Amino acid sequence: MDLDRRLFLFGSALAAQALQSEKIVNTAMIGVGNRGSFLLQGVLRQPNVKVLALCDVKSDRLDTAASAAARDNPATYADWRQVIERKDVDAVFIATPPYLHSEMAIQAIKAGKHVYCEKPLGITPSQVRALLDAAKGSNKVFVAGHQLRSQKHLAETVRKIREGVIGDVIMVKAQRHAATDIPHDGTSADWYFDVTKSGGYLIEQSVHNLDLCNWAIGSHPLRACGFGGILLHKNDPPGRTIFDCGSITYDYPNAVKMSFTQNVFHPSSMPNGNQYVYVYGTKGAVDLMNSIMYPPEKGSQPVVLAPKIVEDEFAHIAAFYDSIVHGTPPPVDIKVGATAALTSILGHEAMVQEKVVNWSDLGVEL
């Protein structure tokens, strides 16, 4: 065996030994529905992680999750408080309906757990404020589930925007359009269409897109105004209280403007659907989600700022555990998650009240 081969095998053995010597991170999942079951897949793929407990109020979901995590033989619970009380659980994933996020995350923090909490961190300013207060002084890792922040091509594109590739940012235009509503008879219909449980489309889903806008601009908005309504799905499903469309204008520091639209009736055959974030500057514009810069000169060619790569769909989960085990900074800490939630709450309140709502009106200090 030649020297290079021996060195390679020796290095591989050392790496394997180091991996095996790392402390097992005992993990619990609270909420194993559509999102929670996806997160569970990612958790099970991480090294040195063991799933000790699963929790959901729906027994069929618990059974499916228990089968997926059979290698770890997790205990199952219907009461999330019993999971939090377990002393042997190091980390907790929270993927329940949004109105429960803040309360569960607060109790997990108080119990000394590392927390991965799905977005939004809260659907009211008071929920976000209470969570921020609970986290003060905690030395545990907290990651908000804004997984787009862990995509390398987006991070590289935002870095170049910061470096001035398009000069000073002056405006953003973004949207989240969908061809259909979520299934009205689906497993999430019992909470999603109730604005007191989901927060509405802007808070429950578009919070991802609004976080990208904040990231690109480098700040949170100062005020917002807008209109929304139920224009197509009137009382469909019966008792529906969330809007099916909306248009919001945000005003940021340095007079930066942002226009955001959302709807759930954009035909799939119609162009310019789905999601985009266009960032305009004094020296050009960027299609953020495709990492392409467009110079202002007539006849100029687009410039790729970051190559689109096959991103690890579980990179955000891996980053959470890396923060726990190695102390690396989390990709989205509690402040970033709170800012995103408050940005969506600000827009929602502007639509509901049909007037200009100021960030200061929310009464939350970051």
Side-chain angles (χ1 to χ4, degrees):
M1 185 181 297
D2 59 37
L3 179 61
D4 288 343
R5 176 64 174 165
R6 289 197 299 271
L7 289 174
F8 173 78
L9 292 176
F10 179 68
S12 299
L14 285 178
Q17 183 179 4
L19 187 62
Q20 292 171 0
S21 67
E22 289 181 351
K23 179 181 180 293
I24 297 293
V25 181
N26 291 325
T27 299
M29 312 290 298
I30 300 177
V32 287
N34 292 336
R35 186 63 189 171
S37 60
F38 174 79
L39 295 176
L40 177 59
Q41 293 179 48
V43 170
L44 290 168
R45 295 189 189 185
Q46 305 308 312
N48 295 88
V49 172
K50 184 175 182 179
V51 178
L52 292 190
L54 302 169
C55 178
D56 205 286
V57 296
K58 297 181 178 180
S59 58
D60 58 332
R61 290 179 169 183
L62 264 183
D63 291 343
T64 300
S67 295
R71 71 162 201 202
D72 294 342
N73 191 29
T76 57
Y77 301 87
D79 185 349
W80 62 271
R81 293 171 183 83
Q82 291 180 291
V83 175
I84 298 295
E85 290 170 356
R86 287 190 56 156
K87 302 297 184 183
D88 54 352
V89 169
D90 304 309
V92 174
F93 279 71
I94 298 171
T96 56
Y99 75 106
L100 298 170
H101 289 177
S102 177
E103 178 186 7
M104 292 177 171
I106 288 170
Q107 294 307 315
I109 290 170
K110 288 182 177 179
K113 314 299 185 188
H114 302 288
V115 179
Y116 182 114
C117 184
E118 265 304 329
K119 53 72 201 168
L121 297 190
I123 64 173
T124 66
S126 61
Q127 287 183 351
V128 177
R129 184 190 311 114
L131 180 53
L132 286 169
D133 288 344
K136 290 177 181 177
S138 171
N139 62 354
K140 300 298 183 179
V141 174
F142 188 103
V143 167
H146 290 276
Q147 72 272 9
L148 294 176
R149 292 261 186 160
S150 290
Q151 290 197 1
K152 294 179 180 179
H153 81 277
L154 290 177
E156 176 64 10
T157 304
V158 170
R159 185 184 69 80
K160 290 186 176 179
I161 291 173
R162 293 274 191 281
E163 291 178 347
V165 69
I166 55 171
D168 296 329
V169 174
I170 54 177
M171 184 178 181
V172 172
K173 173 68 181 79
Q175 73 174 37
R176 185 184 183 112
H177 291 186
T180 60
D181 223 346
I182 74 162
H184 291 183
D185 59 352
T187 57
S188 297
D190 55 346
W191 60 266
Y192 180 83
F193 297 103
D194 182 347
V195 73
T196 66
K197 294 182 177 180
S198 69
Y201 189 70
L202 189 73
I203 295 174
E204 205 280 333
Q205 292 192 22
S206 296
V207 64
H208 278 304
N209 310 73
L210 296 175
D211 178 56
L212 286 183
C213 297
N214 286 345
W215 195 16
I217 295 171
S219 182
H220 66 70
L222 300 175
R223 55 182 179 166
C225 61
F227 298 94
I230 307 173
L231 304 186
L232 178 63
H233 299 289
K234 297 181 186 297
N235 200 35
D236 183 16
R240 179 192 188 112
T241 54
I242 68 168
F243 294 159
D244 62 7
C245 67
S247 177
I248 309 105
T249 297
Y250 289 91
D251 192 31
Y252 282 77
N254 300 316
V256 176
K257 305 294 183 277
M258 197 268 279
S259 173
F260 187 84
T261 62
Q262 60 174 36
N263 71 52
V264 292
F265 43 72
H266 191 117
S268 57
S269 59
M270 188 176 181
N272 300 320
N274 206 359
Q275 307 172 51
Y276 63 72
V277 176
Y278 295 158
V279 186
Y280 299 89
T282 53
K283 298 179 180 178
V286 167
D287 175 347
L288 177 60
M289 301 184 85
N290 288 305
S291 301
I292 298 174
M293 192 269 281
Y294 295 85
E297 296 81 16
K298 185 177 181 180
S300 59
Q301 295 299 309
V303 178
V304 176
L305 297 180
K308 291 293 289 288
I309 60 174
V310 178
E311 300 274 3
D312 177 4
E313 60 182 343
F314 299 122
H316 209 53
I317 295 173
F320 173 59
Y321 285 110
D322 197 48
S323 294
I324 294 172
V325 176
H326 300 116
T328 56
V332 181
D333 60 18
I334 194 168
K335 184 176 179 180
V336 172
T339 301
L342 292 170
T343 300
S344 61
I345 292 169
L346 182 71
H348 176 77
E349 287 300 313
M351 290 191 295
V352 170
Q353 298 182 38
E354 296 189 352
K355 68 176 187 179
V356 174
V357 179
N358 295 305
W359 184 272
S360 59
D361 296 336
L362 302 179
V364 183
E365 292 186 10
L366 295 172

